[in-house]
Amino acid sequence: MRDTAREASPAPILPYSRIVGQGELKLALELNFIAPAIGGVLIAGQRGTAKSTVVRAFALMTGGCMPVTLPINATDDRVLGGWELDALMHGEARRQRGLLEEAHDKGLLYVDEVNLLDDHIVNIILDVVSTGVLSVQREGIDTETHVSFGLVGTMNPEEGSLRAQLLDRFGLMVTAAELDIEERHRMITTVLAFEEERLRADSGWLRAAEEDNRRLRDGLLAARARLTAVRLEADISRLCAEAAARTGAVGQRGDLLVAKAARALAAREDTDRVNARHVRRVLPLALRHRRPESVHGPEPAWGQDEEAAIDELFG
């Protein structure tokens, strides 16, 4: 019997449009796609909360391929690029591209368990994301390449957090949510349907899911194109600053990230200017990992105190 699974679906990943729940996680990924200057998304969550599934489904939806995945034991050579060892053994100097250049081609770099990665490697990646320049000066290599890609890191808080300096470098942070009973039920039926439909040579279920994916992708690309036309008035930028101050955000990076994320949300909604509702919606994403408590433990600090301060500001 002919194997139709590969024909029905290029990868065994649930279509992004069919993922149940995880609205905040998906919002963060979409805003980072619309406004790459946000600088990446960090996803915290317990094991089994679909972190990897959502990231991979998003990559397939937006770029048509799986993300470049950085292994925990990645070396400088693997990340930045170096010389091909096999070629060197035969007396030939041939440069090997690194994972960051591959991510430029595919559009997304995925770092699973980023909190277990060597801080030096994380620093390199974040520097390249923020500058858009990959500079390699080592072992006879002296190159400078302009690269652009989305960055997503995931971590299990049970295994520890990132250092505060690295935590702050991620534009947005979100916690993968536990599903309620109704969502768990929908998840079960959706995943089982997907596993069955993937085996069909011609699946209406998959066609509908991919059509929804196409519409989502087109909408995100359109939002990215109109981002620079979205206005951020002085009263709204002041609101971003006040919100960061009232929630005790450390440093000023959070103020700017609130503004960037709010503008991306306005573009996503096809409005020509940022309003207070956009700011209110993105505050937890941009500020939860910049609270003082965030540097002392693995869980992002955002709770009733922060919500009360924001409610008072927004009325």
Side-chain angles (χ1 to χ4, degrees):
M1 184 174 67
R2 188 171 57 139
D3 180 10
T4 59
R6 183 173 296 275
E7 297 174 15
S9 176
I13 302 295
L14 185 69
Y16 183 77
S17 60
R18 294 298 180 266
I19 290 175
V20 176
Q22 302 301 346
E24 191 175 55
L25 194 166
K26 289 187 282 189
L27 176 63
L29 292 175
E30 292 170 16
L31 297 182
N32 189 62
F33 178 84
I34 293 167
I38 283 173
V41 178
L42 178 61
I43 305 168
Q46 305 295 326
R47 60 186 181 277
T49 49
K51 301 185 297 296
S52 297
T53 297
V54 177
V55 174
R56 288 170 177 145
F58 183 78
L60 283 170
M61 186 266 291
T62 54
C65 59
M66 296 288 276
V68 173
T69 300
L70 190 79
I72 293 176
N73 60 351
T75 62
D76 286 17
D77 278 350
R78 190 68 188 98
V79 175
L80 297 172
W83 299 112
E84 289 188 12
L85 295 180
D86 290 343
L88 285 176
M89 291 175 64
H90 293 86
E92 180 183 355
R94 185 187 307 155
R95 188 171 180 271
Q96 177 175 291
R97 301 172 81 237
L99 290 173
L100 299 187
E101 290 175 275
E102 293 179 22
H104 174 76
D105 294 338
K106 293 192 174 183
L108 185 66
L109 178 68
Y110 174 42
V111 186
D112 193 16
E113 298 183 330
V114 63
N115 51 321
L116 303 183
L117 199 64
D118 185 271
D119 284 355
H120 167 65
I121 297 294
V122 179
N123 258 322
I124 290 173
I125 296 168
L126 291 170
D127 282 342
V128 172
V129 170
S130 65
T131 64
V133 176
L134 173 60
S135 179
V136 183
Q137 298 176 356
R138 55 198 303 272
E139 299 172 349
I141 300 175
D142 187 355
T143 63
E144 187 172 280
T145 309
H146 291 276
V147 295
S148 176
F149 54 85
L151 172 65
V152 179
T154 57
M155 55 176 278
N156 183 343
E158 292 179 343
E159 298 168 344
S161 185
L162 286 169
R163 288 194 297 110
Q165 294 90 332
L166 298 179
L167 197 63
D168 182 55
R169 297 281 298 280
F170 278 90
L172 306 177
M173 183 177 186
V174 62
T175 299
E178 293 284 351
L179 304 183
D180 61 29
I181 293 176
E182 180 58 32
E183 289 172 327
R184 284 173 180 255
H185 177 222
R186 287 174 49 211
M187 179 273 295
I188 292 171
T189 57
T190 301
V191 171
L192 291 179
F194 171 63
E195 291 177 351
E196 292 175 2
E197 295 296 331
R198 284 188 61 248
L199 301 177
R200 300 184 187 277
D202 185 21
S203 167
W205 191 94
L206 283 176
R207 284 200 309 275
E210 290 306 318
E211 177 60 23
D212 287 343
N213 269 5
R214 185 192 62 77
R215 282 194 291 267
L216 283 168
R217 180 176 62 252
D218 289 349
L220 293 176
L221 288 170
R224 178 188 277 188
R226 60 177 168 259
L227 178 66
T228 56
V230 176
R231 297 195 298 277
L232 185 82
E233 307 291 357
D235 60 328
I236 297 298
S237 63
R238 181 177 181 81
L239 186 62
C240 295
E242 285 192 49
R246 291 206 184 196
T247 56
V250 177
Q252 284 76 56
R253 196 190 303 269
D255 308 46
L256 185 58
L257 265 299
V258 171
K260 289 181 177 180
R263 174 178 271 173
L265 180 57
R268 180 175 175 264
E269 295 182 355
D270 195 13
T271 58
D272 62 358
R273 68 183 64 198
V274 181
N275 61 41
R277 181 181 57 80
H278 298 133
V279 175
R280 177 68 180 85
R281 180 70 180 88
V282 303
L283 283 176
L285 303 177
L287 299 181
R288 61 160 43 94
H289 52 309
R290 296 184 168 91
R291 296 276 293 115
E293 292 85 350
S294 295
V295 305
H296 301 301
E299 290 287 355
W302 191 271
Q304 293 182 348
D305 290 344
E306 289 74 27
E307 289 293 324
I310 293 306
D311 287 343
E312 180 181 352
L313 175 60
F314 283 81

